[in-house]
């Protein structure tokens, strides 16, 4: 029976329920004795792709939210809070939340779907989540609700379980009825088989059991004793430790070599082909499993983005939907579970800081909110939001443009004269709606005008020079809808 047939037979056993996924027959490292339901785990290529997806997702922060109109807020329902605590910390006394997510991710791809049971306390709140080692059968009760009939395992008793008691995650491929997930390991059985065969071949080669250097020939008749002695000589010379030793045979035995060599097999390319085929099946870029033969700085960076957007995001949505199904089945339809994908950026300090900076200056975050994300204590005044003075708001109904900083909230009025004094009487030198940036520019303009006045005195030529210097200020004020008189400002500068 081939590997594909063995996997398919094992899959039928799993769907009958009651199979202990974690059991092994014989020695763990014995390829022939192992349970072939775990064959995918013995394939370096398949195992590497599984972990490339499961490990990043298991590191993401988990939170339970609810909708308050169009806003997303932290869920306050006791049921949602209890479920969130389990997902963030420990599913049960033997399994952390990160281990639980890794188990779901790996199991669903190997078996096609993964199930976990939610245990409730006397108060009706979730108190534990237990992995289900088998696959329950699914039916519908008289009310149209799904019922999961399970054969039981070491942590879950046999019986019927409702939708609110079962977390169900499926692989990306579904069967023809659209209900059950298909095993990616089963569909990639050929690649897994080749990967296992290559590993076994290397093992035999190292032990001197699988090489094919040639054959022995002799013209003499070998008796039983001579033949046995020849066999013992061959056994004694196998393995890496005996490589390079010279063999001496009697009875006219001489060695004939074959034309085939290890180079002709091209095993490295075969391994690479198996890995690439497995990567395609599991939607994992080759560089994520350290296949860097065609890697460059630019395509690795782009591949990481593609991996996050096209592989991890869909997997993340599948997990969120499965966890949220418990909330929805319990009647909390406004609540949902969210995995924070921003957690994947925690390893890049520069990108994280750049994102925070943009968020603060755009008014999305305040400094204390950013400090909370970095587990830092808040500081006094850090709850204030920043807003650029260069921005304006547009009324969506009238189209009227309003400066972001107005006379009521301007903290830095435009200084008059040479910048040493400020006006508050509404005169031309008072920039009630101007920010610090324009105040600095005006101060420089006023300095230049006053220096010319002190050097040349008041004249038509001086007035023309001052008008040209202050013309940009007049245009800026006109664009912002601020009253500004150039001649009055010149008089103020002269008299300042």
């Amino acid at each position: 029976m081939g590997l594909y047939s063995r996997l398919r037979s094992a899959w039928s056993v799993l769907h009958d329920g009651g199979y202990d996924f974690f059991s092994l027959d014989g020695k763990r490292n014995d390829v022939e004795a192992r349970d072939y339901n775990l064959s995918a785990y013995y394939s370096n290529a398949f195992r590497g792709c599984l972990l490339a997806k499961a490990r990043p997702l298991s590191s993401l922060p988990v939170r339970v939210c609810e909708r308050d109109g169009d806003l997303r807020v932290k869920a306050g329902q006791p049921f949602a809070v209890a479920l969130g605590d389990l997902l963030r910390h420990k599913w049960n006394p033997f399994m952390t939340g990160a281990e639980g997510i890794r188990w779901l991710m790996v199991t669903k791809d190997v078996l096609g779907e993964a199930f976990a049971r939610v245990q409730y306390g006397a108060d009706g709140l979730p108190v534990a989540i237990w992995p289900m080692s088998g696959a329950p059968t699914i039916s519908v009760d008289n009310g149209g609700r799904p019922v999961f009939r399970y054969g039981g395992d070491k942590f879950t008793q046999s019986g019927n379980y409702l939708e609110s008691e079962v977390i169900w995650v499926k692989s990306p491929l579904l069967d023809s009825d659209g209900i059950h997930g298909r095993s990616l390991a089963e569909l990639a059985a050929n690649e897994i088989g080749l990967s296992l065969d290559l590993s076994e071949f290397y093992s035999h080669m190292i032990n001197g059991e699988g090489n094919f250097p040639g054959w022995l020939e002799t013209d003499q008749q070998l008796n039983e004793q001579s033949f046995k002695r020849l066999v013992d000589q061959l056994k004694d010379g196998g393995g890496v430790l005996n490589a390079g030793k010279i063999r001496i045979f009697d009875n006219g035995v001489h060695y004939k070599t074959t034309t085939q060599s290890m180079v002709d097999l091209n095993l490295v390319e075969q391994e690479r082909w198996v890995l690439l085929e497995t990567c395609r099946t599991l939607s994992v870029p080759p560089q994520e499993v350290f296949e860097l033969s065609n890697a460059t700085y630019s395509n690795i960076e782009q591949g990481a983005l593609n991996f996050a957007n096209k592989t991890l995001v869909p997997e993340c949505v599948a997990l969120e939907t499965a966890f949220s199904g418990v909330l929805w089945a319990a009647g909390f339809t406004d609540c949902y579970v969210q995995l924070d994908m921003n957690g994947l950026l925690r390893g890049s300090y520069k990108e994280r800081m750049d994102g925070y900076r943009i968020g603060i200056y755009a008014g999305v975050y305040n400094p204390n909110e950013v400090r909370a994300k970095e587990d830092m204590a808040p500081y006094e005044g850090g709850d204030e939001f920043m807003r650029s003075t260069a921005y304006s708001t547009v009324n969506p109904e009238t189209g009227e443009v309003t400066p972001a900083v107005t006379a009521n909230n301007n903290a830095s009025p435009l200084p008059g004269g040479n910048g040493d004094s400020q006006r508050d009487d509404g005169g031309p030198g008072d920039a009630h709606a101007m920010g610090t940036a324009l105040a600095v520019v005006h101060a420089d303009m006023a300095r230049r005008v006053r220096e010319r006045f002190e050097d040349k005195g008041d004249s038509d030529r001086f007035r023309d020079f001052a008008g040209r210097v202050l013309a940009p200020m007049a245009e800026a004020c006109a664009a912002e809808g601020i009253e500004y008189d150039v001649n009055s400002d010149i008089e103020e500068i002269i008299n300042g």
Side-chain angles (χ1 to χ4, degrees), residues 342 345-362 365 367 369-376:
N342 291 326
L345 299 178
R346 287 186 297 179
S348 176
Y349 183 81
K350 183 178 183 302
E351 291 182 5
R352 191 167 71 253
M353 292 298 109
D354 287 342
Y356 289 153
R357 177 179 56 81
I358 295 172
I360 288 177
Y361 285 115
Y365 300 119
E369 289 175 336
V370 170
R371 292 176 67 86
K373 291 179 178 292
E374 293 294 314
D375 294 327
M376 300 172 66

Side-chain angles (χ1 to χ4, degrees), residues 305-334:
L305 293 175
N306 290 337
F307 180 56
N309 294 330
K310 298 181 180 179
T311 301
L312 295 184
V313 169
E315 298 283 3
C316 187
V317 171
L319 289 175
E320 291 173 345
T321 305
F323 293 140
S324 300
V326 176
L327 294 168
W328 302 335
F332 301 98
T333 55
D334 290 334

Side-chain angles (χ1 to χ4, degrees), residues 212-322:
F212 37 86
W215 67 93
L216 299 176
E217 285 188 357
T218 180
D219 296 333
Q220 301 181 18
Q221 183 72 25
L222 297 179
N223 55 32
E224 183 177 353
Q225 182 178 1
S226 299
F227 183 79
K228 183 178 179 181
R229 185 169 58 252
L230 180 60
V231 172
D232 292 338
Q233 289 177 344
L234 293 174
K235 289 181 179 179
D236 184 60
V240 176
L241 297 179
N242 294 314
K245 291 184 178 180
I246 299 176
R247 298 174 184 268
I248 300 176
F249 303 105
D250 53 6
N251 297 317
V253 175
H254 55 276
Y255 179 74
K256 294 286 188 177
T257 60
T258 61
T259 58
Q260 190 177 20
S261 66
M262 291 288 293
V263 177
D264 298 325
L265 291 178
N266 208 358
L267 294 176
V268 175
E269 285 300 317
Q270 291 186 42
E271 281 191 326
R272 184 171 181 271
W273 179 84
V274 170
L275 178 60
L276 293 179
E277 291 297 299
T278 307
C279 286
R280 293 186 181 100
T281 300
L282 296 176
S283 301
V284 175
Q287 67 264 16
E288 298 298 328
V289 287
F290 306 102
E291 207 294 318
L292 305 176
S293 57
N294 294 323
T296 63
Y297 178 81
S298 58
N299 66 21
I300 282 184
E301 185 178 15
Q302 187 60 44
L305 293 175
N306 290 337
F307 180 56
N309 294 330
K310 298 181 180 179
T311 301
L312 295 184
V313 169
E315 298 283 3
C316 187
V317 171
L319 289 175
E320 291 173 345
T321 305

